[in-house]
């Protein structure tokens, strides 16, 4: 271990010093509100504006994001490599006393990586996105292999950071990242305490990894997912029934290259896989001294369409969509005639900046239509603004819906405002029907839509948009609740948080009944 630690320091200092790569220099990328925070035990928070709507009472908003456990300025760092930390705000129930207030708790996800490095009091696993480039990346790979060979690292326990998203399925909460298994977590509905229960393989039926963006059909209650690999099969598709039992996976052999597939979509009859120009290429690092993940500018992005309950990939069809690089999907559905599939999501116009200089990334929400009978494909922009992190009413996932809520990015992953788009206005110019800007120096995270319990399905936008915000001048962070039906997305409730919430990724709102039904795996 001492030898490996010394070799890592030599590589970091002499072969790959971070000051020579500003895009992955911790002094630059871990500054401001990206600076990691300490864990926070359940702590009361005052409601400083309005009152919490009844449909949120007793529930919890939980947002995931990177928060490096160790800050060593001599090592390159990419935002995506940070250890996962959950920031959970438990809201008082409708039957609580007048003295009851929201409770914030911030805890690391106790991944194998976190526990290993917590015990070592230093980084042990390499930063995969920032560290695997050129000869230095090859050297790190050799040290990593030596650690595995000598028993310092047990690959059977995974090496993910569980920092990307969180989902609720069959009475369980899972923290996710796409290169490891899910980690089961528990939110105490009485105290707000966040506890990691452990890495979860669904009864031994899931191995190695799963996407951070599974899709739950609100009608069938099934969960659909996939995993990616740098080797064939590049994509493996699978799903779980409403009881949580995994159905046998489908290896997709028709994918020509190991594209970075971060998200996908479902409809009532299909699963949709958007291939981008970002390619995983370990041999490029070994042979040409390139990067583990790089851009293939000659590749034409494609959309793959597979029957949702396929037994194999014989019916997989691919459709080229030039210039369409999708990182996150927003929703997809089938038109009534069954011939046409519609996919909505942000198109990353400068995807080469994803691996560095993320603040330069630009995204435009597009609607792609694929005619399964004729093979015709069309793509139209829904807004001229730089929008990402789109969400819809979760009761419409995989089904035709009208409204989407998007963050105005500037710079990524900071969000300067929220926009509500009306998909029924496509073809008539800008589809924006409501907007909120947070003001100079105030940035938010991904929005999430919570429906009003009194009218969940008859009016799709009857509900609230929630997110965390941060004011850089004062260092204050807040939880805000916005009226989704108002033209300016009016803030109707605001909670002042006791600590700073760093900028992160994806979140979810879990209702009071779901919190109470959580299993202790």
């Amino acid at each position: 271990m001492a030898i490996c630690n010394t070799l890592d320091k030599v590589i970091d200092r002499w072969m790959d010093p971070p000051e020579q790569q500003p895009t992955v220099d911790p002094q630059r990328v871990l500054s401001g509100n990206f600076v990691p925070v300490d864990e926070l035990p359940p702590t009361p928070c005052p409601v400083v504006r309005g009152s919490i709507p009844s449909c949120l009472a007793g529930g919890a908003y939980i947002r995931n994001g990177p928060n490096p456990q160790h800050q060593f300025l001599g090592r390159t760092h990419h935002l995506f490599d940070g250890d996962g930390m959950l920031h959970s705000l438990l809201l008082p129930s409708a039957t609580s006393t007048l003295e009851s207030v929201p409770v914030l708790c911030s805890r690391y996800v106790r991944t194998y990586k976190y526990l290993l490095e917590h015990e070592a009091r230093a980084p042990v696993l390499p930063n995969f996105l920032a560290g695997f480039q050129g000869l230095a990346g090859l050297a790190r790979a050799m040290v990593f292999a030596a650690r595995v060979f000598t028993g310092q690292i047990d690959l059977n326990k995974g090496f993910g950071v569980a920092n990307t998203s969180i989902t609720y399925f069959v009475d369980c909460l899972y923290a996710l990242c796409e290169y490891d298994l899910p980690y089961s977590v528990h939110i105490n509905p009485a105290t707000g305490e966040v506890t990691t229960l452990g890495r979860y393989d669904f009864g031994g039926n899931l191995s190695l990894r799963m996407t951070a963006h599974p899709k739950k059909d609100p009608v069938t209650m099934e969960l659909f997912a996939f995993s990616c690999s740098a080797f064939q099969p590049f994509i493996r598709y699978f799903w779980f029934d409403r009881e949580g039992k995994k159905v046998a996976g489908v290896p997709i052999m028709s994918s020509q290259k190991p594209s970075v597939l971060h998200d996908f979509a479902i409809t009532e009859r299909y699963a949709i896989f958007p291939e981008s120009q970002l390619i995983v290429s370990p041999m490029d690092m070994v042979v040409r001294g390139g990067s583990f993940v790089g851009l293939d500018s000659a590749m034409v992005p494609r959309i793959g369409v597979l029957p949702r309950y396929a037994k194999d990939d014989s019916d997989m069809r691919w459709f080229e969509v030039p210039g369409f690089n999708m990182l996150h999907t927003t929703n997809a559905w089938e038109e009534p005639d069954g011939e046409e599939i519609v996919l909505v999501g942000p198109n990353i116009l400068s995807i080469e900046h994803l691996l560095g200089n993320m603040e330069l990334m630009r995204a435009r929400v597009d609607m792609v239509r694929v005619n399964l009978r004729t093979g015709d494909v069309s793509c139209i922009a829904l807004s001229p603004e730089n929008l990402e992190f789109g969400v819809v009413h979760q009761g419409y996932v995989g089904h035709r819906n009208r409204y989407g809520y998007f963050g105005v990015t500037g710079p990524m992953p900071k969000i300067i405002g929220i926009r509500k788009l009306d998909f029924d206005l496509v073809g008539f110019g800008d589809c924006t029907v409501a907007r909120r800007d947070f003001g100079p120096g105030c940035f938010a995270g991904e929005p999430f839509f919570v429906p009003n319990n009194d009218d969940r399905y008859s009016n799709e936008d009857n509900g609230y948009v929630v997110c965390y915000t941060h004011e850089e001048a004062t260092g204050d962070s807040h939880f805000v609740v916005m009226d989704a039906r108002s033209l300016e997305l009016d803030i109707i409730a605001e909670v002042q948080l006791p600590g700073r919430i760093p900028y992160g990724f994806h979140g979810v709102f879990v209702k009071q009944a779901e919190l109470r039904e959580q299993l202790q795996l």
Side-chain angles (χ1 to χ4, degrees):
M1 183 177 293
I3 293 172
C4 289
N5 291 343
T6 301
L7 290 174
D8 273 336
K9 291 178 181 178
V10 170
I11 295 168
D12 293 338
R13 184 65 269 165
W14 302 107
M15 294 186 67
D16 193 22
E19 58 267 23
Q20 293 185 7
Q21 299 187 67
T23 61
V24 289
D25 185 348
Q27 295 192 66
R28 178 175 177 269
V29 300
L30 291 180
S31 61
N33 196 38
F34 293 101
V35 173
V37 297
D38 294 330
E39 289 189 310
L40 182 76
T43 304
C45 315
V47 178
V48 295
R49 184 195 302 193
S51 58
I52 304 298
S54 60
C55 63
L56 275 68
Y61 175 67
I62 310 133
R63 206 222 60 206
N64 204 345
N67 194 75
Q69 177 183 184
H70 298 291
Q71 289 192 74
F72 284 84
L73 301 183
R75 168 176 286 207
T76 55
H77 178 83
H78 190 282
L79 181 65
F80 294 168
D81 286 323
D83 297 286
M85 176 176 276
L86 302 179
H87 304 277
S88 174
L89 184 69
L90 177 66
L91 301 172
S93 67
T95 57
S96 299
T97 64
L98 293 177
E99 293 78 19
S100 297
V101 294
V103 172
L104 179 71
C105 181
S106 298
R107 296 293 189 194
Y108 280 106
V109 182
R110 263 57 178 179
T111 62
Y112 171 65
K113 175 185 181 296
Y114 171 85
L115 295 174
L116 184 70
E117 297 184 342
H118 185 74
E119 182 178 356
R121 298 184 180 181
V124 176
L125 277 76
N127 288 335
F128 286 89
L129 284 174
F132 282 165
Q133 298 186 39
L135 293 177
L138 183 59
R140 286 193 182 97
M142 295 175 67
V143 175
F144 177 68
R147 289 188 187 274
V148 173
F149 181 76
T150 56
Q152 299 172 52
I153 297 174
D154 184 354
L155 291 182
N156 292 323
K157 296 181 179 180
F159 48 84
V161 288
N163 69 2
T164 307
S165 66
I166 187 163
T167 194
Y168 182 88
F169 178 59
V170 192
D171 302 334
C172 292
L173 274 166
Y174 300 101
L176 305 165
C177 78
E178 58 204 40
Y179 51 91
D180 202 351
L181 295 178
Y183 273 82
S184 175
V185 297
H186 182 269
I187 310 295
N188 189 312
T191 67
E193 180 62 78
V194 179
T195 306
T196 301
L197 302 180
R199 193 166 177 253
Y200 192 64
D201 62 3
F202 291 88
N205 292 313
L206 188 63
S207 61
L208 296 181
R209 61 186 69 89
M210 186 177 92
T211 175
H213 292 288
K215 305 300 179 187
K216 183 166 67 174
D217 189 304
V219 176
T220 68
M221 303 305 291
E222 298 163 308
L223 188 74
F224 298 84
F226 68 93
S227 63
C228 287
S229 172
F231 308 98
Q232 280 282 22
F234 300 130
I235 307 171
R236 186 177 294 273
Y237 168 64
F238 50 90
W239 67 95
F240 304 85
D241 64 22
R242 61 185 305 135
E243 304 300 326
K245 181 180 178 182
K246 179 179 175 290
V247 178
V250 176
I252 298 176
M253 305 299 294
S254 56
S255 180
Q256 299 172 355
K257 295 183 178 181
S259 174
V260 174
L261 188 62
H262 179 66
D263 199 356
F264 81 132
I266 59 168
T267 69
E268 294 181 75
R269 295 187 298 163
Y270 299 99
I272 303 170
F273 302 88
E275 277 190 340
S276 76
Q277 292 175 302
L278 278 184
I279 300 297
V280 178
S281 182
M283 292 307 297
D284 187 65
M285 180 183 70
V286 174
V287 177
R288 288 182 288 273
S291 174
F292 185 76
V293 179
L295 180 71
D296 184 351
S297 57
M299 175 183 173
V300 178
R302 303 187 303 171
I303 291 177
V305 179
L306 180 71
R308 198 163 95 163
Y309 300 107
K311 302 298 184 183
D312 55 50
D313 71 338
S314 58
D315 291 325
M316 185 79 171
R317 297 178 63 187
W318 291 96
F319 302 86
E320 291 188 347
V321 192
F324 185 73
N325 283 293
M326 178 177 282
L327 181 65
H328 295 114
T329 64
T330 302
N331 200 21
W333 62 83
E334 302 163 37
E335 294 293 24
D337 59 11
E339 291 186 355
E340 197 168 53
I341 288 177
V342 179
L343 174 65
V344 177
N347 177 13
I348 307 299
L349 303 177
S350 51
I351 197 166
E352 67 273 11
H353 295 307
L354 179 66
L355 302 178
N357 288 322
M358 287 183 61
E359 65 274 14
L360 300 179
M361 283 178 59
R362 294 293 178 266
R364 180 190 66 207
V365 178
D366 286 350
M367 178 179 285
V368 176
R369 292 181 174 271
V370 177
N371 190 300
L372 298 178
R373 181 179 60 85
T374 65
D376 292 338
V377 178
S378 66
C379 181
I380 187 169
L382 306 188
S383 169
E385 291 192 276
N386 184 19
L387 305 181
E388 240 287 10
F389 295 114
V391 296
V392 301
H393 185 315
Q394 295 300 290
Y396 291 83
V397 171
H399 303 265
R400 194 185 193 287
N401 79 296
R402 180 173 179 178
Y403 300 109
Y405 305 87
F406 297 82
V408 185
T409 60
M412 180 78 81
K414 296 181 180 181
I415 290 176
I416 62 175
I418 306 295
R419 299 293 184 263
K420 175 184 178 182
L421 303 189
D422 184 344
F423 302 151
D424 283 357
L425 299 180
V426 63
F428 297 95
D430 189 353
C431 297
T432 304
V433 292
R435 63 184 69 232
R436 164 152 292 276
D437 294 310
F438 294 109
C442 184
F443 300 96
E446 177 195 55
F448 191 83
F449 178 83
V450 182
N452 191 327
N453 291 341
D454 297 330
D455 196 5
R456 182 166 184 176
Y457 292 108
S458 60
N459 290 296
E460 181 188 331
D461 62 343
N462 183 9
Y464 304 93
V465 179
V466 302
C467 67
Y468 288 140
T469 64
H470 178 74
E471 297 179 20
E472 295 196 337
T474 63
D476 293 336
S477 292
H478 294 84
F479 170 74
V480 296
V481 182
M482 294 164 276
D483 181 358
R485 305 182 83 175
S486 61
L487 294 179
E488 296 183 355
L489 299 173
D490 299 328
I491 296 178
I492 57 119
E494 188 172 8
V495 178
Q496 184 170 345
L497 305 178
R500 181 172 57 84
I501 305 294
Y503 302 123
F505 299 138
H506 306 284
V508 68
F509 182 81
V510 182
K511 297 182 296 183
Q512 182 180 37
E514 294 171 329
L515 287 179
R516 292 174 174 174
E517 292 168 357
Q518 290 175 98
L519 299 176
Q520 293 277 6
L521 297 177

